[in-house]
Amino acid sequence: MTYCVGLLLKAGMVLLSDTRTNAGLDNIATYRKMFVFEDPGERVVTLLTAGSLSVTQTTLARLREAIDHPEEGVPSIMTAQTMLEVAEIVGNTLASVRHDIDVRMEASKVSTSASMIVAGQRKGGTMRLFLIYPEGNFIEATEDTPYLQIGEHKYGKPILDRVVTPDTSLEDARKAVLLSMDSTLRSNLSVGMPLDFAVIEKDACRVSRRQRIEAQDEDFRAMSQAWSNALRDGFQKIRI
Amino acid sequence: MTYCVGLLLKAGMVLLSDTRTNAGLDNIATYRKMFVFEDPGERVVTLLTAGSLSVTQTTLARLREAIDHPEEGVPSIMTAQTMLEVAEIVGNTLASVRHDIDVRMEASKVSTSASMIVAGQRKGGTMRLFLIYPEGNFIEATEDTPYLQIGEHKYGKPILDRVVTPDTSLEDARKAVLLSMDSTLRSNLSVGMPLDFAVIEKDACRVSRRQRIEAQDEDFRAMSQAWSNALRDGFQKIRI
């Protein structure tokens, strides 16, 4: 499993992903699920991935190949005219990789699947945040629902619903996604530290801040403890 | 969908269920999912149900028939020697009903499924809380994990994990299950008011308190609002 979340705010986009992958409970590993492509000041595209690692890695490899070898004429996310086109390229690549792998898997009756969050902005365009489904179609974050999640999304949703609006500051947004991840880490063993965090400030067209948060991170632990205490205090004060 | 939760505490058992059933989003109805069988002072058995309504209603009907017609020799939950035996009777009945209905459904490639929570005590025995799986096997709540959930369990789990221990008072437990339900109601449209709440005090061998909480219940609304405020306040105070 996985938990990745992206927020689309007036001040910028805030992204967080875990790094745990597993093939059964007895086969756990750490893989990055956040990938940044940037031409600083001109274009930034960040991908968050969930699902079958063979699908997401091959999709990433094909997207990179198209960037590195423009002469082959395969559409590239770094030269696409719009962010919508970027989402389409990612969706098409993902669906095509999934199809190729499913053909191989048919004999063993196993089906593979993956989904992605795409966050990006090109110079002169607006920030856009997409969720790409395993079939390659996608939806986009809006003012009404300024966040998108992939993977184990349920445990971490209540906090986002309660505190995130398009006007949320980047600092508060950081806190919100970290607390959302904290609730998920507590409840689902297949979501695990370290975490990858990134902020794309509005119109910067680059990743403004990037951080890997390790399992032993003192600030994260303190926040987690403070949140537990706040919940317990709040609980004690309520009368019914 | 459904959300039902049961707590096994030193002071007693606390149960809460919603009442929404749906066959698609365009076919929503209200059905009770909490059923009490009692011989006050001698024995109390409470069932909470989730899953296919045709399975749960038929299971309940068969359990009632066995109680009403002891002469037919079908094991009855009101005369079983132990609560373990009660759980076995419920499990066997559920599995057998499910099998009967699945045979009918085979042609349309639809599979039915249901699960239940069984909470009970007989005079001279201990309070016991079971979760019955669709296949009829079951697990039991223990001191380490003093609660069981069926249906849409994820949204409401973080609050239970944080505040419920076997020493929790019945009043705090009521607050905890109502807040757990509140988080679920907010996030899953197929869980809906009114709610059925019950408390079985230790060694009372009867339902000590029973309440239906309607959608317009002012206390529930105030609690929900107070909890939202407490979460937002706690959130604001945390530094990271």
Side-chain angles (χ1 to χ4, degrees):
Chain A
M1 207 69 179
T2 287
Y3 179 47
C4 298
V5 53
L7 310 187
L8 174 65
L9 310 168
K10 287 180 184 163
M13 293 188 287
V14 172
L15 307 165
L16 183 69
S17 62
D18 83 315
T19 52
R20 182 157 295 172
T21 65
N22 67 300
L25 277 172
D26 55 351
N27 187 354
I28 286 177
T30 299
Y31 281 91
R32 177 174 289 277
K33 300 174 191 172
M34 181 183 289
F35 304 89
V36 176
F37 300 86
E38 62 180 350
D39 178 0
E42 290 294 324
R43 170 181 308 230
V44 59
V45 177
T46 301
L47 300 185
L48 308 180
T49 65
S52 166
L53 193 60
S54 75
V55 175
T56 59
Q57 286 190 337
T58 307
T59 303
L60 261 300
R62 288 201 194 164
L63 292 173
R64 281 197 195 102
E65 220 165 84
I67 295 169
D68 295 344
H69 299 284
E71 72 278 6
E72 297 197 356
V74 178
S76 149
I77 58 173
M78 291 309 278
T79 53
Q81 294 295 304
T82 62
M83 279 301 134
L84 184 73
E85 213 182 294
V86 169
E88 277 167 1
I89 292 171
V90 176
N92 291 341
T93 310
L94 177 63
S96 135
V97 169
R98 188 191 171 204
H99 176 261
D100 293 354
I101 295 181
D102 264 357
V103 168
R104 288 169 192 270
M105 304 298 274
E106 213 171 355
S108 50
K109 307 259 181 214
V110 176
S111 177
T112 58
S113 177
S115 54
M116 296 192 175
I117 286 175
V118 177
Q121 186 176 19
R122 63 184 173 80
K123 198 175 168 180
T126 56
M127 297 180 294
R128 296 181 76 171
L129 180 69
F130 298 94
L131 189 163
I132 318 282
Y133 290 111
E135 294 75 16
N137 55 330
F138 48 83
I139 59 171
E140 188 172 0
T142 63
E143 286 218 342
D144 289 328
T145 304
Y147 66 86
L148 294 171
Q149 304 167 291
I150 52 176
E152 176 58 276
H153 62 282
K154 292 189 177 183
Y155 298 113
K157 185 168 175 285
I159 179 72
L160 299 178
D161 278 337
R162 281 189 166 99
V163 305
V164 177
T165 73
D167 293 310
T168 300
S169 71
L170 294 177
E171 271 312 294
D172 273 359
R174 177 164 185 266
K175 210 158 60 169
V177 295
L178 289 174
L179 291 174
S180 173
M181 180 63 81
D182 182 53
S183 295
T184 312
L185 290 168
R186 275 172 182 264
S187 291
N188 190 326
L189 271 185
S190 68
V191 177
M193 306 275 282
L195 310 176
D196 286 312
F197 173 78
V199 176
I200 300 171
E201 279 176 32
K202 189 186 174 205
D203 295 339
C205 295
R206 61 160 60 82
V207 170
S208 321
R209 179 178 178 186
R210 208 169 160 180
Q211 182 188 7
R212 170 154 284 204
I213 300 167
E214 299 290 345
Q216 59 276 21
D217 188 278
E218 282 304 325
D219 290 343
F220 186 76
R221 273 201 210 174
M223 180 209 69
S224 171
Q225 192 55 51
W227 183 237
S228 278
N229 295 343
L231 288 180
R232 270 190 283 261
D233 287 355
F235 180 80
Q236 287 309 331
K237 279 181 200 137
I238 286 177
R239 293 274 156 265
I240 174 137
Chain B
M1 207 71 181
T2 286
Y3 179 47
C4 298
V5 54
L7 310 187
L8 174 66
L9 310 168
K10 288 180 184 163
M13 295 188 286
V14 172
L15 308 165
L16 184 68
S17 64
D18 83 314
T19 52
R20 183 158 295 171
T21 65
N22 67 299
L25 277 171
D26 54 352
N27 187 356
I28 286 176
T30 299
Y31 281 91
R32 175 175 290 276
K33 300 175 193 172
M34 180 184 288
F35 303 89
V36 176
F37 299 86
E38 62 181 350
D39 177 1
E42 291 293 325
R43 171 182 306 233
V44 60
V45 177
T46 302
L47 300 184
L48 308 180
T49 64
S52 166
L53 192 60
S54 75
V55 174
T56 60
Q57 286 190 337
T58 306
T59 303
L60 261 302
R62 287 200 196 166
L63 292 173
R64 280 198 195 100
E65 221 165 83
I67 295 169
D68 294 344
H69 299 285
E71 72 279 7
E72 299 198 356
V74 179
S76 148
I77 58 173
M78 291 309 277
T79 54
Q81 294 294 307
T82 63
M83 276 303 133
L84 184 72
E85 211 183 296
V86 169
E88 278 168 0
I89 292 171
V90 175
N92 291 341
T93 310
L94 177 62
S96 133
V97 168
R98 189 193 170 202
H99 176 261
D100 293 354
I101 294 181
D102 264 356
V103 168
R104 288 168 193 271
M105 305 297 275
E106 214 172 354
S108 50
K109 307 259 181 216
V110 176
S111 176
T112 59
S113 176
S115 55
M116 295 192 177
I117 286 175
V118 177
Q121 186 176 18
R122 63 181 173 82
K123 197 174 169 181
T126 56
M127 296 180 294
R128 296 181 76 170
L129 181 69
F130 298 93
L131 189 163
I132 318 283
Y133 289 111
E135 294 75 16
N137 55 332
F138 48 82
I139 58 170
E140 187 172 359
T142 64
E143 286 217 343
D144 289 328
T145 305
Y147 65 84
L148 294 171
Q149 303 169 292
I150 51 176
E152 175 58 276
H153 62 281
K154 293 189 177 183
Y155 298 114
K157 185 168 175 288
I159 178 72
L160 299 178
D161 278 337
R162 282 190 167 98
V163 305
V164 177
T165 73
D167 293 310
T168 301
S169 71
L170 294 177
E171 271 312 295
D172 273 359
R174 176 163 187 265
K175 211 157 63 168
V177 295
L178 288 175
L179 290 175
S180 174
M181 179 65 80
D182 182 54
S183 294
T184 312
L185 291 168
R186 274 171 183 263
S187 292
N188 190 327
L189 271 184
S190 68
V191 177
M193 307 275 283
L195 311 176
D196 286 312
F197 173 78
V199 176
I200 300 172
E201 280 176 31
K202 189 188 175 202
D203 295 339
C205 295
R206 61 160 61 80
V207 171
S208 320
R209 179 178 177 185
R210 208 169 161 181
Q211 183 189 6
R212 170 153 285 203
I213 299 166
E214 300 288 346
Q216 59 277 18
D217 187 278
E218 283 303 326
D219 290 342
F220 186 77
R221 272 200 209 173
M223 181 211 68
S224 170
Q225 191 56 50
W227 183 237
S228 277
N229 295 343
L231 288 180
R232 269 190 284 261
D233 287 355
F235 179 80
Q236 287 309 329
K237 280 181 201 140
I238 287 177
R239 294 274 155 266
I240 175 138

